[in-house]
Amino acid sequence: MRSDQPSRRMTVPLAALALAVLLGACSTPTPYAPAAERFGFSDSAIEQDRYRVSFSGNSATDRETVETYLLYRAAELTLEKGRSHFVIVARDLDKNERYIHHDFYPFGFGSFGYYGHHGGYYFRRSLFAGPSDSVPVTRYEAIAEIVIGGPELKAEGTDAYDAEDVVSNLGSRIVRTPG
């Protein structure tokens, strides 16, 4: 056996860890676009002037961006339907957190995996395990039920949003898909 053999075995887990970190760093926040592959906005009619609107971000999309995109989508939908105002009658934010787990095995035996909020491991352990680490990965999804209408919504004393003002004020913070 050559003297450099153990160092080669150590580079494989280190290279895999470096690749995982690099790929994670390349993640970009979910752009403002219709939902595809679980991420983006969606809406559906509940009644004539009542809609459910949602925006789901990936793990690189922070909570504030998810909530901003939800509000922007509600305003945009209101204008698409030919109305001028909307009221949020119900709102919720789901936080999905999981952990990416990795171990360092100095003799070339290794594992990589994740566990969710139940804490169940799906990978094997070894007697030769070195240090390990768990990294939290968080995704947010904002959901709202809105009622759309005209200026009469504002006159009724509700906390009605003016859709044109929302689009105008938040428009500079919206990142769309390129192309």
Side-chain angles (χ1 to χ4, degrees), residues 84-100:
S84 61
H85 291 76
F86 67 96
V87 176
I88 297 175
V89 294
R91 189 175 189 163
D92 193 19
L93 180 75
D94 288 337
K95 178 181 177 182
N96 180 339
E97 189 169 56
R98 66 182 176 115
Y99 292 85
I100 301 289

Side-chain angles (χ1 to χ4, degrees), residues 92-114:
D92 193 19
L93 180 75
D94 288 337
K95 178 181 177 182
N96 180 339
E97 189 169 56
R98 66 182 176 115
Y99 292 85
I100 301 289
H101 184 86
H102 54 88
D103 291 330
F104 173 70
Y105 291 83
F107 300 107
F109 303 101
S111 65
F112 182 80
Y114 75 93

